[in-house]
Amino acid sequence: MRRMGSLLFVVLLLDACATTAPATKPATPTIVDAARFVASAEATLAALNVEQQRNEWVQENFITYDTQILASNATAKQVAASVDLAKEAAKYDGMTDLPYDVRRKLDLIKLSVTNSGLSAAAPSDAAKTAEVTRIASALTAAYGSGRYCPKATECMSIEEIAAVMETSRDPQRLLEVWRGWHEVAKPMRTDYARFVELMNDGAHELGYPDTGAMWRSKYDMPPDAFAAEVDRLWNQVRPLYESLHCYVRWNLTKTYGPEVVPPGKPIPAHLLGNIWAQEWTNVYDLVAPPAVDQGYDLTKVLESRSDIDAQGMVRIGEHFFTSLGFPPLPQTFWQRSLFTQPKDRDVVCHASAWDVDDNDDLRVKMCIRKTSDYFTTIHHELGHNFYQRAYNRQPFLYKNSANDGFHEAVGDTIALSITPDYLVKLGLIKSVPPPAADIPLLLRRALDKVAFLPFGIVIDSWRWGVFSGQIKPEDYNKAWWALRQKYQGIAPPEPRGEEYFDPGAKYHVAANVSYTRYFLADILQFQFHRALCQIAGNTEPLNRCSIYGNKLAGERLSRMLSMGQSRPWPEALEAITDQREMDATAIIDYFGPLKVWLDQQNDGHKCGW
């Protein structure tokens, strides 16, 4: 009650000042004014965030006309308050003598709109705010309820389509379901173009050139400097990706023939085992080294274990964190989370972790299947939950990761410790395969981590161009595939004109979730892993290191997590790695033996695209 009253007081006060204040020069704000504003704004944002989280949880778990309206209304309230408070915070920009916490929180208030349910600023006009939040809910719902229906009585969910993409080796069947899922995004195109206009209107009101510049301002550096940082990191890892791309392509040519996969050309996007070709783990069987056995297939192991169900897989993930010294998840986590696809309703199955009350109401929402991919994803999502709990004693504005790449990296850092040694300790396999199996293991992981790197850049590169106006609505699809070819060496399996909206077939575009965080996470997780392995006293090759059960590594990790967003991210990075700059050499170190092997295998084959 007090928190909502604070918002009402601020709004009424601003209205009164606008209508009744005499036409005199406004008083210069003081440190006390700034501190009082921050305290009031922080309480307001905290209360609205919980309301929005609860409504969004219901909307994504019960997709109906009414839940969309409820979620849209809650998001509209949150966004409107965030925009108003951001504009008010900007009035203190010229003050140079503010205490550290006041200045940092003012900056975070200005960027709070990027953490709202909309992930962007809405215009101050009430009608436009209602419109932009309605479109946001509609786009998310369209994605979550999307189906491919080859017949009127036969429809496939995204999970069913994903299963076909993972297992089929019939290029015509793969094309059919790939095309079917991308049809889901076509109706989003007009709404999305309007969505961009409205978000940019809001960004302009806050002083940003466009929404992309506002997103890039979140990283404790100027927007252009951040874009240059992304390019620097990509150039560090590009040679490794190009070697992997070359190796995968000629193996796919061997499988499907040169008429399907032409040598020296981009790889058709439907042949890489994933709807978006964002990771290629599911085609491992087509590119596996000959006569070298990895020693186990984790998916088959999980399928054979009748004593391990979806929730049991999550229990295994929780145990990894408790082995490092973290307390177990609250009982409410197990009561309120969604672990499997309901049979009676549509839900947004995209895996996500939730901190509903900014305290201890932690949850995950997943449609788990017993596969190696889901085993890894569980560790990733729990990384979010344990991060959320670690910083829950911070003030609300600091209840976030050092930057959004950190949040994504933590769980993936843990997943790098899913080594054969870890699986032996869990009793999932009987023995650690010999060193000869390292290349298959590294190749499988590279098909996930290295293959993803350029895709992690493509989505926001496209959106930055869309937001800035460099990419016009009439060129949405053309620009999308041009970027995918440039960075990934991937091409559509058939001509895709502007009647399509293929970017919208990816959740993060439909839901307006910034994506560069995942690229940063792919870099940071190896940097974290290398540092934690050194702390744990590891003497094995980096790819064989698991920090499972190591309390020293857990203590260092906890130290960084508990900082939340209270300090600039270079300080949080230093707390765990003793480095203040993101460094992609760790991923090069991790995959060093594989790079040598790939270059040997590629000898005599045409590389590049």
Side-chain angles (χ1 to χ4, degrees):
M1 190 69 173
R2 178 184 61 81
R3 291 175 177 175
M4 294 307 293
S6 298
L7 174 59
L8 182 60
F9 174 76
V10 170
V11 172
L12 291 175
L13 179 61
L14 291 176
D15 286 345
C17 290
T19 57
T20 64
T24 58
K25 184 177 180 180
T28 302
T30 67
I31 294 175
V32 172
D33 293 333
R36 285 176 177 168
F37 166 74
V38 164
S40 175
E42 187 165 36
T44 295
L45 292 170
L48 289 174
N49 183 63
V50 173
E51 180 182 356
Q52 191 275 333
Q53 286 283 296
R54 292 196 187 283
N55 279 277
E56 188 177 356
W57 173 268
V58 173
Q59 189 266 327
E60 291 202 12
N61 281 275
F62 300 88
I63 301 174
T64 69
Y65 172 79
D66 294 307
T67 60
Q68 288 181 56
I69 291 175
L70 292 172
S72 177
N73 288 343
T75 300
K77 285 174 61 178
Q78 183 192 46
V79 170
S82 296
V83 170
D84 288 345
L85 294 171
K87 292 175 181 176
E88 186 71 10
K91 296 178 181 179
Y92 301 93
D93 281 352
M95 299 183 67
T96 59
D97 57 346
L98 293 174
Y100 169 83
D101 281 325
V102 175
R103 167 47 57 201
R104 183 157 183 81
K105 288 184 178 183
L106 284 167
D107 291 339
L108 293 174
I109 289 168
K110 288 197 299 180
L111 291 167
S112 64
V113 290
T114 65
N115 298 322
S116 68
L118 187 60
S119 299
S124 55
D125 178 87
K128 288 185 176 181
T129 294
E131 183 182 7
V132 74
T133 54
R134 178 194 61 76
I135 293 174
S137 291
L139 290 171
T140 303
Y143 185 95
S145 60
R147 295 288 186 274
Y148 164 48
C149 299
K151 300 178 182 178
T153 58
E154 177 187 324
C155 289
M156 298 177 67
S157 70
I158 187 172
E159 294 297 305
E160 293 168 325
I161 292 170
V164 173
M165 298 292 295
E166 291 168 10
T167 58
S168 176
R169 298 296 178 253
D170 177 352
Q172 288 304 312
R173 177 61 173 158
L174 291 169
L175 175 58
E176 175 194 340
V177 297
W178 183 94
R179 181 192 294 139
W181 177 251
H182 283 73
E183 287 288 317
V184 168
K186 286 174 68 175
M188 300 180 191
R189 185 185 178 102
T190 300
D191 269 355
Y192 189 82
R194 177 60 175 160
F195 191 49
V196 169
E197 290 179 7
L198 293 167
M199 287 192 294
N200 276 343
D201 284 349
H204 295 158
E205 290 183 17
L206 293 178
Y208 297 100
D210 57 72
T211 300
M214 183 174 67
W215 281 5
R216 295 193 301 275
S217 297
K218 296 172 59 175
Y219 295 95
D220 295 311
M221 61 175 66
D224 289 345
F226 176 71
E229 179 71 354
V230 171
D231 285 341
R232 180 185 69 83
L233 293 168
W234 166 240
N235 285 324
Q236 281 186 295
V237 297
R238 184 171 58 183
L240 175 60
Y241 175 80
E242 290 175 346
S243 292
L244 180 67
H245 180 282
C246 184
Y247 175 78
V248 168
R249 182 179 57 199
W250 66 256
N251 274 280
L252 292 178
T253 301
K254 186 171 62 175
T255 298
Y256 293 113
E259 67 284 353
V260 177
V261 186
K265 300 292 185 181
I267 301 173
H270 65 309
L271 299 177
L272 288 159
N274 177 272
I275 298 173
W276 310 280
Q278 69 180 54
E279 64 246 347
W280 308 343
T281 316
N282 294 311
V283 299
Y284 175 79
D285 62 306
L286 301 182
V287 303
V292 180
D293 184 9
Q294 176 181 315
Y296 65 92
D297 183 326
L298 184 54
T299 295
K300 291 182 178 178
V301 170
L302 292 169
E303 289 174 343
S304 70
R305 293 288 297 267
S306 60
D307 59 324
I308 300 176
D309 58 9
Q311 191 170 140
M313 291 169 66
V314 181
R315 292 279 185 186
I316 290 172
E318 179 197 38
H319 181 65
F320 195 112
F321 287 89
T322 58
S323 82
L324 299 178
F326 291 89
L329 293 164
Q331 185 59 34
T332 53
F333 172 88
W334 306 101
Q335 297 166 345
R336 299 170 185 171
S337 291
L338 178 77
F339 299 116
T340 56
Q341 169 88 58
K343 296 181 180 180
D344 62 342
R345 66 184 191 272
D346 290 330
V347 301
V348 177
C349 269
H350 180 83
S352 54
W354 299 65
D355 179 12
V356 174
D357 66 353
D358 286 322
N359 184 19
D360 212 33
D361 190 354
L362 306 170
R363 311 178 192 181
V364 293
K365 178 178 59 59
M366 303 176 65
C367 300
I368 297 171
R369 290 185 286 119
K370 291 173 69 170
T371 69
S372 174
D373 282 349
Y374 274 96
F375 189 81
T376 300
T377 299
I378 286 165
H379 286 74
H380 171 91
E381 297 302 334
L382 292 184
H384 289 299
N385 287 140
F386 280 93
Y387 205 160
Q388 289 159 346
R389 171 181 268 182
Y391 57 57
N392 71 4
R393 293 183 181 276
Q394 292 281 359
F396 171 74
L397 287 168
Y398 292 162
K399 287 182 179 181
N400 208 337
S401 56
N403 69 41
D404 51 12
F406 277 64
H407 231 312
E408 300 300 332
V410 169
D412 281 347
T413 299
I414 299 302
L416 290 176
S417 283
I418 302 177
T419 62
D421 181 66
Y422 169 54
L423 298 177
V424 168
K425 289 176 179 175
L426 293 180
L428 292 176
I429 62 175
K430 293 182 179 179
S431 61
V432 176
D438 280 6
I439 291 298
L441 288 169
L442 282 169
L443 177 58
R444 183 181 288 274
R445 181 150 277 164
L447 293 171
D448 177 13
K449 302 296 184 181
V450 178
F452 174 80
L453 286 164
F455 187 78
I457 295 176
V458 163
I459 290 185
D460 277 354
S461 291
W462 179 81
R463 282 193 291 204
W464 293 346
V466 168
F467 292 146
S468 71
Q470 183 180 354
I471 298 173
K472 307 295 183 185
E474 59 268 26
D475 294 321
Y476 276 174
N477 235 38
K478 176 183 176 182
W480 171 254
W481 287 109
L483 285 167
R484 297 201 68 181
Q485 178 167 326
K486 173 185 175 181
Y487 285 103
Q488 287 185 279
I490 299 295
E494 60 184 4
R496 305 292 291 181
E498 292 303 326
E499 69 272 25
Y500 298 103
F501 183 56
D502 292 333
K506 178 63 179 170
Y507 169 82
H508 298 77
V509 174
N512 203 43
V513 178
S514 63
Y515 209 75
T516 309
R517 67 184 69 179
Y518 300 104
F519 171 76
L520 298 180
D522 227 22
I523 302 297
L524 286 167
Q525 65 190 260
F526 289 93
Q527 195 171 356
F528 291 170
H529 180 66
R530 182 170 64 182
L532 292 173
C533 286
Q534 291 169 350
I535 292 164
N538 172 68
T539 57
E540 295 273 1
L542 199 53
N543 62 287
R544 285 186 160 238
C545 169
S546 177
I547 63 168
Y548 174 70
N550 191 282
K551 298 295 194 296
L552 286 176
E555 189 280 328
R556 180 68 77 91
L557 178 61
S558 178
R559 186 191 312 170
M560 186 274 285
L561 299 184
S562 64
M563 294 170 67
Q565 202 173 13
S566 64
R567 306 296 302 177
W569 66 259
E571 294 185 32
L573 181 63
E574 187 176 28
I576 191 172
T577 67
D578 296 325
Q579 295 176 276
R580 293 178 62 88
E581 184 178 71
M582 289 183 283
D583 182 8
T585 63
I587 197 170
I588 301 301
D589 289 350
Y590 186 96
F591 290 106
L594 179 67
K595 177 66 163 63
V596 173
W597 183 85
L598 287 172
D599 290 344
Q600 293 171 346
Q601 305 306 306
N602 290 336
D603 187 36
H605 293 279
K606 186 176 182 180
C607 295
W609 58 84

